[in-house]
Amino acid sequence: MGEHDPRQARADVGVFFRRLRAGLGGDPLPYVWVPEWHKSGHGLHLHFAVGRYVRKGLIEEAWGHGFTHIKLLGDLPAGSGVLGESRAAAGYLSKYVGKSFDDDRDGVLRPKGLHRFDVAQGFSPRLIRLRATSRAEVLEQAAGAMGGPPDVFWSSSEVEDWRGAPAVWLQWRG
């Protein structure tokens, strides 16, 4: 049971978000979602965040493929505002984006051309360009832009037999 075809899972997610948006009145709905392979081999499941409260019944109805689990990203300090809420959601989802970069070198679990995450059309994150002459310099600029050093640092140089282009992953939790 479960969905094992990443392309079909993405098609199902597209239908889900169209139904969810319709159930909320049809207005544009900001969201980000990340697919993840279930540890038991059950197939794919997804983690997502939306920019507003949505009742659980509507999520279950819009999904229509079985089990759903809703988690409120709370415990934010008073006055966190939209930026604090957005950072909490990004921190939650980035755990799944960055969970394992070298888990699928052969392109079976995530076929070439499929992203590690997707966002609602028209709600892409703001691009910040950093230019430097060294990795250390660009990391320093990134820390300045984000208000401090990253909580997680990953580099392809740490992976034996890495076959892709050099890559670095930085993650800020808060």
Side-chain angles (χ1 to χ4, degrees):
M1 192 90 179
E3 184 56 65
H4 290 82
D5 178 351
R7 294 188 192 286
Q8 182 59 52
R10 280 167 166 70
D12 293 345
V13 170
V15 170
F16 165 71
F17 280 115
R18 283 190 292 281
R19 289 178 181 164
L20 191 61
R21 189 173 51 244
L24 292 169
D27 292 331
L29 176 67
Y31 61 81
V32 179
W33 69 275
V34 179
E36 180 186 28
W37 286 97
H38 199 278
K39 291 176 189 170
S40 71
H42 175 71
L44 288 161
H45 63 270
L46 70 108
H47 302 266
F48 74 93
V50 294
R52 61 178 282 192
Y53 171 79
V54 181
R55 63 182 176 79
K56 182 178 180 176
L58 180 56
I59 292 171
E60 290 171 341
E61 180 183 315
W63 177 241
H65 290 279
F67 179 75
T68 60
H69 173 76
I70 312 304
K71 178 180 178 180
L72 175 64
L73 298 177
D75 297 331
L76 295 171
S80 293
V82 174
L83 181 60
E85 292 170 358
S86 297
R87 283 190 169 178
Y92 167 75
L93 292 173
S94 68
K95 286 188 303 193
Y96 303 103
V97 171
K99 211 167 195 182
S100 54
F101 273 87
D102 62 337
D103 63 346
D104 188 27
R105 293 182 181 187
D106 297 324
V108 175
L109 299 177
R110 188 172 47 88
K112 297 208 182 300
L114 297 184
H115 299 267
R116 291 189 174 274
F117 70 93
D118 278 303
V119 299
Q121 190 172 13
F123 291 96
S124 294
R126 180 174 51 100
L127 176 66
I128 300 173
R129 292 195 188 273
L130 304 175
R131 288 179 171 64
T133 57
S134 71
R135 184 170 89 172
E137 190 178 325
V138 80
L139 294 176
E140 183 179 333
Q141 290 178 23
M146 294 302 292
D151 296 302
V152 176
F153 174 87
W154 175 91
S155 173
S156 61
S157 65
E158 299 168 2
V159 178
E160 190 174 327
D161 298 327
W162 179 260
R163 290 187 275 179
V168 174
W169 171 265
L170 306 174
Q171 178 179 332
W172 286 263
R173 292 198 173 103

